[in-house]
Amino acid sequence: MIKINMFSSADKVAGQGVGSAYKELIDLLKDHFSDEFDVKINDYHASDLSHYHTIDPQFYLSTFSKKRGRKIGYVHFLPETLEGSIKLPEPAKSVFYKYVISFYKRMDQIVVVNPTFIDKLVAHGLDRNKIKYIPNFVSTENFYEKTAEEKADFRKKLGIPADKFVVFGDGQVQERKGVDDFYKLAQTNPDIQFIWAGGFSFGKITDGYDRYKDMIDNAPSNMKFTGIVDRNDLVNYYNICNLFLLPSYDELFPMSVLEAFSCGAPVLLRDLDLYRAIIDGYYQKADGFADMNAFINKANHDRSILDDFKKKSKEASTQYSEENLSKIWYDFYTSQYNIAQQDK
């Protein structure tokens, strides 16, 4: 068996896509390859492969040990993608950004969840030949389309009429996620129910914390902030929405979009280059607030136009399914093990 040690603290902070992606991968390996891979979590004994999911300082120090075997780094963010997420004073910000890149350079192999990050990592000084793209995925056992009766029951639980048009968004409450546009859409469309699931995963160091806290406390009656929702409950929100909207200005490969696809929810996204690289053709594009508002109103008055987008979501879900990605991860870890053996 190939010994793989996963180094991660991603599950310690709720409401982060990094934690969701980490959990999906661990479950995949346990379900499909328990006889091929011996997977340990944060274990400092000798291993063939060490896969770093987060960049904790103690993990960085561990990379200097020969016991780590071949070191694999998972890139879920770059310094530039942290802008609009967390607020750090200088010189702390500059020091932290340099640390992030230094961590990635300690790796023997890098995995990115979006191919657009390859050139950016190369620009930061990493070797292109050591970077591989493997997309995120979600399990259809956790995220799936529920029955009409189950959907109706959850709407009733939330006090939402059966015929009310619902727009749902998911993610940390921060500027980068486009929460301002989501909020403004709710103010502009009082006849439509808007729901945002997510909170302040970074607490008070979240960029714009005070302003967003005030928005939550004074939200219009048709705008509901749920706070951080357990992943086991998120499936219900995807199922009761007429439209999933993620108005982010910057993303890698958002788990929330994959979760929405898997539940058959029509998807509306801000038109970003990174989406064109991974999910083009599966969602409705919007250049900004005006486009989002126009499509939401059009869909509200003629809901049949969403039928095609439900089909597209199901197609995307099949492409980024656990079944498809299981072979990719098996081949990846096996090849990394073979390289490690050759280097001995």
Side-chain angles (χ1 to χ4, degrees), residues 64-163:
F64 293 92
S65 171
K66 294 181 180 180
K67 292 182 179 181
R68 298 285 66 78
R70 187 165 176 82
K71 300 181 290 292
I72 301 164
Y74 221 159
V75 174
H76 292 283
F77 63 88
L78 292 174
E80 51 265 41
T81 66
L82 292 173
E83 296 291 339
S85 295
I86 59 175
K87 188 175 183 179
L88 294 174
E90 289 290 2
K93 183 169 76 169
S94 296
V95 171
F96 179 64
Y97 285 5
K98 289 179 181 178
Y99 168 79
V100 171
I101 298 303
S102 176
F103 196 107
Y104 295 155
K105 287 182 176 180
R106 287 291 306 159
M107 301 296 109
D108 299 306
Q109 175 71 46
I110 287 291
V111 175
V112 295
V113 297
N114 191 298
T116 64
F117 268 59
I118 296 175
D119 287 342
K120 294 177 182 179
L121 283 167
V122 172
H124 279 292
L126 278 80
D127 184 348
R128 185 183 298 273
N129 294 322
K130 293 183 178 180
I131 307 172
K132 181 177 178 60
Y133 160 61
I134 301 180
N136 282 335
F137 67 95
V138 296
S139 170
T140 53
E141 287 188 8
N142 298 322
F143 292 94
Y144 56 94
E145 185 166 9
K146 296 202 168 188
T147 65
E149 290 77 16
E150 288 173 318
K151 293 179 184 181
D153 287 344
F154 192 67
R155 275 190 173 235
K156 185 177 181 180
K157 179 181 177 180
L158 296 180
I160 300 175
D163 60 346

Side-chain angles (χ1 to χ4, degrees), residues 310-323:
K310 280 187 67 71
K311 294 178 182 178
K312 290 179 178 180
S313 289
K314 288 297 186 182
E315 292 170 5
S317 177
T318 300
Q319 180 178 349
Y320 294 107
S321 66
E322 178 179 347
E323 289 71 27

